Amino acid sequence: SSGFSSGGSSSGFSGGDFSKQDFGPVIHILRDDRQTPLNGEYSFTYETSDGVYRQEEGRPDGQDGSVVQSGSWSFVFPDGTPAEFSFVADHNGYQVESDLLPQPHPLP
């Protein structure tokens, strides 16, 4: 049952018994470290039991108060292929790197 009904309720939603739903496996948080922003500096790292990892840090850079950020994230595709990405965001813009990103063909 979808939880919707064709009548009996003005909203059309009849609730639902979520106790019988299968929402998939429980994903545990293995690590969750955070540095509360202070004077523009911050950092965080988290990791989950399904192989997701994410970390980022930032700090003010320059007189205009802009924040330079860097970090990485990784996960595993359903077929078991690992995915890893890293990035820097600064005065040159957002630059991400990964072996999984398409690369332009070399110019002749």
Side-chain angles (χ1 to χ4, degrees):
S1 167
S2 67
F4 288 91
S5 65
S6 59
S9 171
S10 61
S11 69
F13 184 70
S14 64
D17 184 1
F18 293 108
S19 65
K20 296 181 183 177
Q21 298 291 324
D22 179 14
F23 294 106
V26 174
I27 308 300
H28 298 280
I29 296 172
L30 305 176
R31 179 178 177 188
D32 186 357
D33 299 328
R34 298 167 189 267
Q35 175 190 337
T36 304
L38 179 62
N39 298 323
E41 288 191 31
Y42 74 94
S43 67
F44 67 84
T45 302
Y46 66 82
E47 184 176 4
T48 62
S49 63
D50 64 346
V52 172
Y53 175 83
R54 174 87 163 90
Q55 74 79 216
E56 182 176 319
E57 58 187 32
R59 61 178 168 68
D61 184 54
Q63 293 184 5
D64 64 356
S66 62
V67 175
V68 173
Q69 300 169 298
S70 63
S72 63
W73 69 95
S74 62
F75 61 91
V76 179
F77 284 103
D79 69 0
T81 304
E84 297 181 11
F85 299 84
S86 62
F87 76 92
V88 172
D90 60 12
H91 62 278
N92 292 316
Y94 181 78
Q95 307 133 66
V96 65
E97 293 184 6
S98 174
D99 291 341
L100 296 173
L101 296 175
Q103 299 298 316
H105 292 285
L107 296 173

